[in-house]
Amino acid sequence: MDLYEYQGKELFQRVGIPVGEGRLATTPGEARQAAEVLGGPVVVKAQVLTGGRGKAGGVKLAQSAHEAEEHAKSILGLDIKGHVVKRLWIARAAEIAKEYYLSLTFDRGAKKPLFMFTTEGGVEIEEVAATSPEALVKLHVDPLEGFHAWQARRLVYGGRVSDQGEQKQIIAIVGKLYEAFTRFDAMLCEINPLIVTPDGTVEALDAKFTVDDNALYRHPEIAEMRDREAADPLEAFAREKHVTYVKLDGEVGVLGNGAGLSMSTVDVVTFAGGRPANFCDLGGGGDAQGVVDALEVITRDPQVKAIFFNIFGGITRCDEVARGVLRALAQMGIGLPIVVRLDGTNAEQGRRILAEAAPPNLHVEPTMLDAARKAVELSA
Ligand code: GDP
Ligand code: MN
């Protein structure tokens, strides 16, 4: 779950990472009031769950409350990479002498949290990694050993921060970032830019915070932060139905039992020259209700032109799944072509059950590749 900048900053604040003062606003009038309360110049910042707001015109400096209101008018409703701005963070403007970058993310390959630090902040980190990789300091933390202060020193010295005051503050922030990361079960905590003001104070000017969905049950107050309107309505619907669903861009709806098989199904659709419309995992089960729920989610996506239902019967027997599919079709009346591949336990029985009922839009194929080709053909 991605958090808005202001929510990430709230979590930063809880562990003691310095962030500037600010107020939330959803109307130009509220933006003006917020600026009045804060006093002095402010920054009007679009709150959207994507980066690069500055470049897109979503971050604007205002010298007065009136100007803050004008900026709010232009930023509210702005479309930033498909995200429409509905909330603004009105922040007391900071003076910037230097822009650094600090992040902590989960490196799945290494199975360890990974710190990255560079004094070349402000720009996108991918750019730094591409143009001056030597300026990017990386450091893994072994979760079993935990974080140690020397690791923060290594980051800061590695980044060639020479000012002692800065060193001290950044070292403290690094430790607190690790605390935020572990305490709130984060997948990513990014500060870009981490600024140094002209008087030498270091603070987080921006916050990108992603919390592990699977740990949200431990953090009801963070789960509460989810913006239900901003979430993809289809993904929200899937969550309600307890269906594992990820929306993709293509035309072939993909449904498999088990995450591994569903992933392979996405791959084989691509291999067959098609484009998967989604990733949907039925889980280990395959009862009629599960099938109905999953099909209901997939068919709500208007981009879907054909459905590829890929089942490998293990504990769930193919004959049961076949009955589930028929019951689901009877219940829902789906007009889209559905290609079913059944293999594994009781596969033949399952195929026979489907063949006997044989609604005209149901196609049974013996192999995964045949089924993928058929589904791709029908989605064109
Ligand atoms: P992003 O573009 O979505 O990453 O949004 P940021 O919060 O990082 O802001 C983008 C840029 O706007 C920053 O890199 C700064 O250069 C500038 N900016 C943001 N807040 C302030 C501020 O308080 N004062 C000044 N002078 N510049 C700011
Ligand atoms: Mn930023």
Side-chain angles (χ1 to χ4, degrees):
M1 172 182 164
D2 296 330
L3 300 183
Y4 286 116
E5 172 196 2
Y6 76 94
Q7 297 168 330
K9 282 181 168 171
E10 188 189 319
L11 297 185
F12 281 172
Q13 214 160 15
R14 285 201 219 163
V15 296
I17 295 173
V19 296
E21 203 187 333
R23 291 266 188 296
L24 196 65
T26 56
T27 65
E30 283 176 18
R32 179 174 36 78
Q33 280 175 4
E36 277 164 5
V37 174
L38 291 167
V42 295
V43 188
V44 180
K45 305 184 80 175
Q47 298 299 290
V48 279
L49 299 175
T50 182
R53 296 165 300 163
K55 272 188 207 157
V59 177
K60 285 189 175 149
L61 196 68
Q63 295 301 335
S64 65
H66 171 73
E67 206 182 335
E69 183 174 6
E70 293 305 308
H71 285 330
K73 278 182 197 161
S74 71
I75 297 176
L76 282 167
L78 197 69
D79 185 312
I80 302 180
K81 299 182 197 165
H83 300 254
V84 179
V85 183
K86 291 186 176 151
R87 303 178 190 191
L88 300 169
W89 184 240
I90 314 299
R92 179 169 286 149
E95 276 185 75
I96 303 176
K98 298 171 192 165
E99 292 189 308
Y100 297 166
Y101 171 99
L102 174 67
S103 70
L104 182 54
T105 168
F106 197 78
D107 181 349
R108 290 176 184 274
K111 300 180 181 169
K112 287 172 186 162
L114 171 69
F115 270 113
M116 285 195 270
F117 175 72
T118 176
T119 52
E120 298 185 13
V123 293
E124 273 165 43
I125 195 62
E126 290 80 5
E127 208 175 305
V128 178
T131 56
S132 40
E134 71 291 341
L136 188 62
V137 194
K138 296 182 177 184
L139 188 133
H140 285 104
V141 179
D142 189 317
L144 298 179
E145 289 172 6
F147 172 78
H148 296 282
W150 63 263
Q151 291 170 312
R153 291 197 290 275
R154 182 169 284 182
L155 280 173
V156 168
Y157 300 148
R160 301 188 193 284
V161 175
S162 53
D163 182 89
Q164 285 196 357
E166 285 179 29
Q167 288 175 354
K168 219 175 135 187
Q169 295 173 74
I170 298 170
I171 285 168
I173 291 172
V174 168
K176 286 167 181 166
L177 198 65
Y178 189 79
E179 192 191 329
F181 188 86
T182 48
R183 195 204 296 179
F184 302 121
D185 290 301
M187 299 300 285
L188 167 75
C189 291
E190 185 188 71
I191 307 176
N192 189 24
L194 177 70
I195 61 153
V196 185
T197 63
D199 70 5
T201 309
V202 180
E203 71 169 58
L205 201 72
D206 191 6
K208 211 174 194 180
F209 209 115
T210 307
V211 178
D212 184 353
D213 280 328
N214 296 313
L216 279 177
Y217 74 97
R218 289 205 282 231
H219 308 285
E221 85 289 4
I222 297 176
E224 275 293 297
M225 291 178 177
R226 192 192 295 276
D227 180 0
R228 283 168 214 289
E229 277 174 47
D232 180 69
L234 210 51
E235 292 194 359
F237 177 68
R239 209 174 300 119
E240 254 171 54
K241 296 270 173 188
H242 301 288
V243 173
T244 306
Y245 172 87
V246 179
K247 167 97 177 87
L248 301 171
D249 243 357
E251 295 77 32
V252 181
V254 168
L255 177 53
N257 65 329
L261 184 65
S262 303
M263 294 272 262
S264 312
T265 312
V266 164
D267 284 346
V268 79
V269 165
T270 310
F271 181 74
R275 300 195 315 156
N278 65 278
F279 163 96
C280 187
D281 171 17
L282 205 56
D287 58 349
Q289 193 53 48
V291 175
V292 171
D293 288 345
L295 286 175
E296 223 179 309
V297 172
I298 291 179
T299 52
R300 278 200 183 194
D301 177 354
Q303 247 178 282
V304 172
K305 297 289 177 279
I307 296 168
F308 178 6
F309 196 172
N310 193 3
I311 294 297
F312 188 85
I315 295 169
T316 313
R317 294 163 9 221
C318 288
D319 55 318
E320 273 176 37
V321 177
R323 284 190 202 98
V325 171
L326 292 180
R327 227 171 297 156
L329 289 183
Q331 223 171 304
M332 294 178 60
I334 298 172
L336 291 170
I338 302 179
V339 182
V340 183
R341 172 260 185 172
L342 285 174
D343 210 344
T345 312
N346 290 2
E348 270 177 38
Q349 254 174 281
R351 283 185 215 130
R352 205 178 324 118
I353 289 168
L354 289 179
E356 276 164 15
N361 61 332
L362 190 73
H363 308 263
V364 183
E365 294 288 336
T367 74
M368 195 150 143
L369 189 57
D370 288 335
R373 287 190 176 130
K374 185 81 185 171
V376 170
E377 181 196 317
L378 291 168
S379 75

